[in-house]
Amino acid sequence: MKRLVVLNTPEFPVFGTHLFHVQKLAKGFEWNGLETLVVESWQQLNEIGLCETDFIYLSNHLLNGTDDPTHSIPNPVVNVYLEYIGSTGAIPILWFWHSAIGTQILEPLNDKFILTGEHFRRKPKTPSHATCWDIQNKVENYVPSTFSAAIHPDNIGTFKRNELKKASFVGKYYQSDWLNRLSNEKPNETMITATPPFISEEDRVGHFTNSVVCLGFHAEPNIDNFLLTERVFEGMAMGNVVISDNPCCEEVTDGAVDFVDSYDTMVTLIDKAWNDNDYRKEKQEESMNWCRNYGTYFPVAKSFIGKVSELYE
């Protein structure tokens, strides 16, 4: 059986929200028929025995103490790993290894790897990310690691929905001015929870299923870099009407998600979704149908598998 091996060793750590993303991406590989496992040491990597049908995920996350994705990869740390991986024929998935493209660092892989990173829908405004954009658009073996819903497409439309509240938000407190005002003006009509501290997965999912509208808000860097996060796709998959502050949301979702750039516009759309049954049902079906085809980790993982088949099989 083909496998996705996630390297999470001291040399190649995967942690924080990136770890959450990789765990969800791994589900997509499982849904496509692969076994997934996490390797936490060099010894364990040798014990499992890589082969040419395997994928192996290597992060370049804070290796030299910086969150700049273009930073240099220290050769001594990676050379032993890459020589071993190259000798097995396994396919490395290299997360934000953009600065290594075209250098001798990757020579042990014999040009057999997939470059990946966050899915910028347009050229980012942040200079370091714009550099990554330029690099990845020049290579044929790039596949974006798209934020999506960790929900199997067959399960979309099966969630029990109560829709007790007009709107909900759960997560890091983006658009705090809007959320504070909304919770003050409509305290009994909204569910707004800032995390951390983290809540249970049951309570987190309940924010989606107990409300009509999901507020798909983003950090300012993600807006600047045209990066849609999982909150948008989770809301779509769970049957919410989704509105977002990211200007690329309508383009990406073929209009299923509506863009808002002001508090008043947000409230108008929330009230419309609550009061207009036909509009609400139409947007919910539109979102779920789009998400079944494009918005889960099933097609994201399939795109990696397909690219490898296209280039290397």
Short mmCIF file of all heavy atoms in Angstrom, two decimals, residues 242-282:
data_model
loop_
_atom_site.label_atom_id
_atom_site.label_comp_id
_atom_site.label_asym_id
_atom_site.label_seq_id
_atom_site.Cartn_x
_atom_site.Cartn_y
_atom_site.Cartn_z
N VAL A 242 -21.82 31.51 4.27
CA VAL A 242 -20.51 32.00 4.69
C VAL A 242 -20.26 33.37 4.09
O VAL A 242 -20.46 33.58 2.88
CB VAL A 242 -19.38 31.04 4.26
CG1 VAL A 242 -18.02 31.56 4.73
CG2 VAL A 242 -19.64 29.64 4.84
N ILE A 243 -19.84 34.30 4.93
CA ILE A 243 -19.40 35.61 4.46
C ILE A 243 -17.99 35.83 4.99
O ILE A 243 -17.63 35.35 6.07
CB ILE A 243 -20.34 36.75 4.90
CG1 ILE A 243 -20.46 36.83 6.42
CG2 ILE A 243 -21.72 36.57 4.28
CD1 ILE A 243 -21.38 37.96 6.89
N SER A 244 -17.17 36.53 4.19
CA SER A 244 -15.75 36.63 4.51
C SER A 244 -15.22 38.02 4.23
O SER A 244 -15.73 38.75 3.37
CB SER A 244 -14.97 35.60 3.69
OG SER A 244 -13.57 35.72 3.91
N ASP A 245 -14.15 38.36 4.95
CA ASP A 245 -13.47 39.63 4.76
C ASP A 245 -12.30 39.52 3.80
O ASP A 245 -11.56 40.48 3.61
CB ASP A 245 -12.97 40.17 6.10
CG ASP A 245 -12.02 39.20 6.80
OD1 ASP A 245 -11.88 38.05 6.35
OD2 ASP A 245 -11.42 39.59 7.83
N ASN A 246 -12.12 38.35 3.18
CA ASN A 246 -11.01 38.17 2.25
C ASN A 246 -11.49 38.46 0.83
O ASN A 246 -12.41 37.80 0.34
CB ASN A 246 -10.47 36.74 2.34
CG ASN A 246 -9.10 36.60 1.71
OD1 ASN A 246 -8.86 37.08 0.61
ND2 ASN A 246 -8.19 35.94 2.41
N PRO A 247 -10.90 39.44 0.14
CA PRO A 247 -11.43 39.87 -1.15
C PRO A 247 -11.39 38.82 -2.25
O PRO A 247 -12.04 38.99 -3.28
CB PRO A 247 -10.55 41.07 -1.52
CG PRO A 247 -9.32 40.93 -0.70
CD PRO A 247 -9.74 40.25 0.56
N CYS A 248 -10.66 37.72 -2.06
CA CYS A 248 -10.62 36.68 -3.09
C CYS A 248 -11.67 35.61 -2.88
O CYS A 248 -11.77 34.67 -3.66
CB CYS A 248 -9.23 36.05 -3.17
SG CYS A 248 -8.77 35.05 -1.75
N CYS A 249 -12.50 35.73 -1.83
CA CYS A 249 -13.42 34.64 -1.47
C CYS A 249 -14.46 34.37 -2.56
O CYS A 249 -14.79 33.21 -2.83
CB CYS A 249 -14.09 34.91 -0.13
SG CYS A 249 -15.22 36.32 -0.11
N GLU A 250 -14.98 35.41 -3.17
CA GLU A 250 -16.02 35.20 -4.19
C GLU A 250 -15.43 34.55 -5.43
O GLU A 250 -16.03 33.65 -6.03
CB GLU A 250 -16.68 36.53 -4.52
CG GLU A 250 -17.48 37.12 -3.36
CD GLU A 250 -18.16 38.43 -3.72
OE1 GLU A 250 -17.84 39.00 -4.79
OE2 GLU A 250 -19.01 38.89 -2.93
N GLU A 251 -14.26 35.00 -5.84
CA GLU A 251 -13.59 34.44 -7.01
C GLU A 251 -13.26 32.96 -6.81
O GLU A 251 -13.50 32.12 -7.69
CB GLU A 251 -12.31 35.22 -7.29
CG GLU A 251 -11.43 34.66 -8.38
CD GLU A 251 -10.10 35.38 -8.46
OE1 GLU A 251 -9.97 36.49 -7.90
OE2 GLU A 251 -9.18 34.83 -9.09
N VAL A 252 -12.74 32.62 -5.64
CA VAL A 252 -12.32 31.24 -5.37
C VAL A 252 -13.51 30.30 -5.31
O VAL A 252 -13.45 29.17 -5.83
CB VAL A 252 -11.52 31.19 -4.06
CG1 VAL A 252 -11.26 29.73 -3.64
CG2 VAL A 252 -10.20 31.94 -4.21
N THR A 253 -14.60 30.73 -4.70
CA THR A 253 -15.74 29.84 -4.46
C THR A 253 -16.85 30.01 -5.51
O THR A 253 -17.97 29.54 -5.30
CB THR A 253 -16.33 30.09 -3.07
OG1 THR A 253 -16.86 31.43 -3.01
CG2 THR A 253 -15.28 29.89 -1.99
N ASP A 254 -16.53 30.65 -6.61
CA ASP A 254 -17.52 30.87 -7.68
C ASP A 254 -18.77 31.57 -7.16
O ASP A 254 -19.90 31.27 -7.59
CB ASP A 254 -17.90 29.54 -8.34
CG ASP A 254 -16.71 28.87 -9.02
OD1 ASP A 254 -15.87 29.60 -9.58
OD2 ASP A 254 -16.61 27.64 -8.96
N GLY A 255 -18.57 32.49 -6.22
CA GLY A 255 -19.66 33.29 -5.70
C GLY A 255 -20.45 32.67 -4.57
O GLY A 255 -21.41 33.29 -4.07
N ALA A 256 -20.08 31.47 -4.14
CA ALA A 256 -20.81 30.84 -3.05
C ALA A 256 -20.62 31.59 -1.74
O ALA A 256 -21.53 31.66 -0.91
CB ALA A 256 -20.37 29.38 -2.89
N VAL A 257 -19.45 32.16 -1.53
CA VAL A 257 -19.15 32.97 -0.34
C VAL A 257 -19.21 34.44 -0.73
O VAL A 257 -18.72 34.83 -1.79
CB VAL A 257 -17.76 32.62 0.22
CG1 VAL A 257 -17.39 33.54 1.38
CG2 VAL A 257 -17.72 31.16 0.67
N ASP A 258 -19.82 35.25 0.12
CA ASP A 258 -19.94 36.68 -0.15
C ASP A 258 -18.88 37.47 0.61
O ASP A 258 -18.61 37.21 1.79
CB ASP A 258 -21.32 37.19 0.27
CG ASP A 258 -22.42 36.72 -0.69
OD1 ASP A 258 -22.18 36.73 -1.91
OD2 ASP A 258 -23.50 36.34 -0.21
N PHE A 259 -18.29 38.45 -0.08
CA PHE A 259 -17.27 39.31 0.51
C PHE A 259 -17.93 40.51 1.20
O PHE A 259 -18.87 41.11 0.68
CB PHE A 259 -16.32 39.81 -0.59
CG PHE A 259 -15.38 40.89 -0.15
CD1 PHE A 259 -14.42 40.65 0.83
CD2 PHE A 259 -15.44 42.16 -0.72
CE1 PHE A 259 -13.54 41.64 1.23
CE2 PHE A 259 -14.57 43.16 -0.33
CZ PHE A 259 -13.62 42.90 0.65
N VAL A 260 -17.42 40.85 2.39
CA VAL A 260 -17.88 42.05 3.10
C VAL A 260 -16.68 42.89 3.48
O VAL A 260 -15.64 42.37 3.90
CB VAL A 260 -18.70 41.69 4.37
CG1 VAL A 260 -20.02 41.02 3.98
CG2 VAL A 260 -17.92 40.79 5.31
N ASP A 261 -16.82 44.21 3.32
CA ASP A 261 -15.73 45.10 3.68
C ASP A 261 -16.15 46.16 4.68
O ASP A 261 -15.44 47.15 4.89
CB ASP A 261 -15.15 45.77 2.43
CG ASP A 261 -16.19 46.55 1.65
OD1 ASP A 261 -17.35 46.62 2.09
OD2 ASP A 261 -15.83 47.10 0.58
N SER A 262 -17.32 45.96 5.31
CA SER A 262 -17.76 46.90 6.33
C SER A 262 -18.68 46.19 7.31
O SER A 262 -19.30 45.16 6.98
CB SER A 262 -18.50 48.08 5.70
OG SER A 262 -19.77 47.68 5.20
N TYR A 263 -18.79 46.76 8.48
CA TYR A 263 -19.68 46.19 9.50
C TYR A 263 -21.13 46.22 9.03
O TYR A 263 -21.86 45.23 9.19
CB TYR A 263 -19.54 46.98 10.81
CG TYR A 263 -20.48 46.50 11.89
CD1 TYR A 263 -20.15 45.41 12.69
CD2 TYR A 263 -21.69 47.15 12.12
CE1 TYR A 263 -21.01 44.95 13.67
CE2 TYR A 263 -22.56 46.70 13.11
CZ TYR A 263 -22.21 45.61 13.88
OH TYR A 263 -23.08 45.16 14.86
N ASP A 264 -21.55 47.30 8.45
CA ASP A 264 -22.95 47.43 8.03
C ASP A 264 -23.30 46.41 6.96
O ASP A 264 -24.39 45.83 6.98
CB ASP A 264 -23.23 48.85 7.53
CG ASP A 264 -23.22 49.88 8.65
OD1 ASP A 264 -23.39 49.49 9.82
OD2 ASP A 264 -23.03 51.08 8.35
N THR A 265 -22.39 46.19 6.01
CA THR A 265 -22.63 45.18 4.97
C THR A 265 -22.74 43.80 5.59
O THR A 265 -23.59 42.99 5.21
CB THR A 265 -21.51 45.20 3.93
OG1 THR A 265 -21.41 46.50 3.36
CG2 THR A 265 -21.78 44.19 2.81
N MET A 266 -21.89 43.52 6.56
CA MET A 266 -21.94 42.23 7.25
C MET A 266 -23.29 42.02 7.91
O MET A 266 -23.93 40.97 7.74
CB MET A 266 -20.83 42.16 8.30
CG MET A 266 -20.85 40.90 9.14
SD MET A 266 -19.70 40.96 10.56
CE MET A 266 -20.51 42.19 11.61
N VAL A 267 -23.77 43.00 8.65
CA VAL A 267 -25.04 42.86 9.36
C VAL A 267 -26.19 42.71 8.37
O VAL A 267 -27.12 41.92 8.59
CB VAL A 267 -25.27 44.07 10.28
CG1 VAL A 267 -26.68 44.06 10.86
CG2 VAL A 267 -24.24 44.07 11.42
N THR A 268 -26.14 43.42 7.27
CA THR A 268 -27.19 43.31 6.25
C THR A 268 -27.28 41.90 5.71
O THR A 268 -28.38 41.33 5.56
CB THR A 268 -26.93 44.30 5.10
OG1 THR A 268 -26.99 45.64 5.61
CG2 THR A 268 -27.96 44.14 3.99
N LEU A 269 -26.12 41.29 5.42
CA LEU A 269 -26.13 39.93 4.89
C LEU A 269 -26.53 38.91 5.95
O LEU A 269 -27.20 37.92 5.63
CB LEU A 269 -24.75 39.59 4.33
CG LEU A 269 -24.39 40.25 3.00
CD1 LEU A 269 -22.97 39.87 2.57
CD2 LEU A 269 -25.39 39.85 1.91
N ILE A 270 -26.13 39.13 7.19
CA ILE A 270 -26.56 38.23 8.27
C ILE A 270 -28.09 38.25 8.39
O ILE A 270 -28.74 37.19 8.45
CB ILE A 270 -25.91 38.64 9.60
CG1 ILE A 270 -24.41 38.34 9.58
CG2 ILE A 270 -26.57 37.90 10.77
CD1 ILE A 270 -23.66 38.88 10.80
N ASP A 271 -28.67 39.44 8.41
CA ASP A 271 -30.12 39.55 8.55
C ASP A 271 -30.84 38.96 7.34
O ASP A 271 -31.90 38.33 7.47
CB ASP A 271 -30.52 41.02 8.73
CG ASP A 271 -30.14 41.55 10.11
OD1 ASP A 271 -29.93 40.73 11.03
OD2 ASP A 271 -30.04 42.79 10.26
N LYS A 272 -30.27 39.14 6.15
CA LYS A 272 -30.89 38.57 4.96
C LYS A 272 -30.90 37.05 5.02
O LYS A 272 -31.92 36.40 4.70
CB LYS A 272 -30.14 39.04 3.71
CG LYS A 272 -30.77 38.54 2.41
CD LYS A 272 -30.03 39.10 1.19
CE LYS A 272 -30.69 38.63 -0.10
NZ LYS A 272 -29.99 39.17 -1.30
N ALA A 273 -29.79 36.46 5.43
CA ALA A 273 -29.72 35.00 5.53
C ALA A 273 -30.68 34.47 6.60
O ALA A 273 -31.22 33.36 6.46
CB ALA A 273 -28.29 34.57 5.86
N TRP A 274 -30.90 35.24 7.63
CA TRP A 274 -31.80 34.82 8.72
C TRP A 274 -33.27 34.96 8.32
O TRP A 274 -34.08 34.09 8.63
CB TRP A 274 -31.50 35.64 9.96
CG TRP A 274 -32.35 35.33 11.14
CD1 TRP A 274 -33.44 36.03 11.59
CD2 TRP A 274 -32.20 34.23 12.05
NE1 TRP A 274 -33.97 35.45 12.72
CE2 TRP A 274 -33.22 34.33 13.03
CE3 TRP A 274 -31.29 33.18 12.14
CZ2 TRP A 274 -33.36 33.42 14.07
CZ3 TRP A 274 -31.43 32.27 13.18
CH2 TRP A 274 -32.44 32.39 14.12
N ASN A 275 -33.59 36.02 7.61
CA ASN A 275 -34.99 36.35 7.34
C ASN A 275 -35.52 35.80 6.01
O ASN A 275 -36.73 35.57 5.87
CB ASN A 275 -35.19 37.88 7.34
CG ASN A 275 -34.93 38.48 8.71
OD1 ASN A 275 -35.35 37.93 9.73
ND2 ASN A 275 -34.23 39.61 8.74
N ASP A 276 -34.64 35.59 5.04
CA ASP A 276 -35.07 35.18 3.70
C ASP A 276 -34.77 33.69 3.52
O ASP A 276 -33.64 33.29 3.22
CB ASP A 276 -34.33 36.01 2.66
CG ASP A 276 -34.83 35.79 1.24
OD1 ASP A 276 -35.36 34.70 0.96
OD2 ASP A 276 -34.68 36.71 0.41
N ASN A 277 -35.80 32.85 3.69
CA ASN A 277 -35.60 31.41 3.64
C ASN A 277 -35.08 30.94 2.29
O ASN A 277 -34.21 30.05 2.21
CB ASN A 277 -36.89 30.68 3.98
CG ASN A 277 -37.28 30.81 5.44
OD1 ASN A 277 -36.42 31.05 6.29
ND2 ASN A 277 -38.56 30.67 5.73
N ASP A 278 -35.61 31.49 1.22
CA ASP A 278 -35.19 31.07 -0.12
C ASP A 278 -33.72 31.41 -0.36
O ASP A 278 -32.96 30.58 -0.89
CB ASP A 278 -36.07 31.73 -1.19
CG ASP A 278 -37.50 31.21 -1.18
OD1 ASP A 278 -37.72 30.09 -0.67
OD2 ASP A 278 -38.39 31.91 -1.70
N TYR A 279 -33.34 32.61 0.03
CA TYR A 279 -31.94 33.02 -0.13
C TYR A 279 -31.03 32.13 0.71
O TYR A 279 -29.97 31.67 0.23
CB TYR A 279 -31.79 34.48 0.30
CG TYR A 279 -30.35 34.94 0.44
CD1 TYR A 279 -29.60 35.28 -0.68
CD2 TYR A 279 -29.75 35.03 1.70
CE1 TYR A 279 -28.29 35.69 -0.55
CE2 TYR A 279 -28.43 35.45 1.83
CZ TYR A 279 -27.71 35.78 0.71
OH TYR A 279 -26.40 36.19 0.84
N ARG A 280 -31.42 31.88 1.96
CA ARG A 280 -30.60 31.06 2.84
C ARG A 280 -30.39 29.67 2.26
O ARG A 280 -29.26 29.17 2.17
CB ARG A 280 -31.23 30.96 4.23
CG ARG A 280 -30.43 30.07 5.19
CD ARG A 280 -30.98 30.12 6.59
NE ARG A 280 -32.28 29.46 6.71
CZ ARG A 280 -33.42 30.10 6.94
NH1 ARG A 280 -33.45 31.42 7.02
NH2 ARG A 280 -34.55 29.42 7.06
N LYS A 281 -31.47 29.02 1.85
CA LYS A 281 -31.35 27.65 1.32
C LYS A 281 -30.53 27.62 0.04
O LYS A 281 -29.75 26.69 -0.18
CB LYS A 281 -32.75 27.09 1.09
CG LYS A 281 -33.53 26.82 2.38
CD LYS A 281 -34.93 26.31 2.10
CE LYS A 281 -35.70 26.08 3.40
NZ LYS A 281 -37.09 25.62 3.13
N GLU A 282 -30.70 28.63 -0.81
CA GLU A 282 -29.94 28.67 -2.05
C GLU A 282 -28.45 28.80 -1.78
O GLU A 282 -27.63 28.10 -2.39
CB GLU A 282 -30.41 29.86 -2.90
CG GLU A 282 -29.65 30.02 -4.21
CD GLU A 282 -30.12 31.23 -5.01
OE1 GLU A 282 -31.17 31.81 -4.66
OE2 GLU A 282 -29.43 31.59 -5.98
#
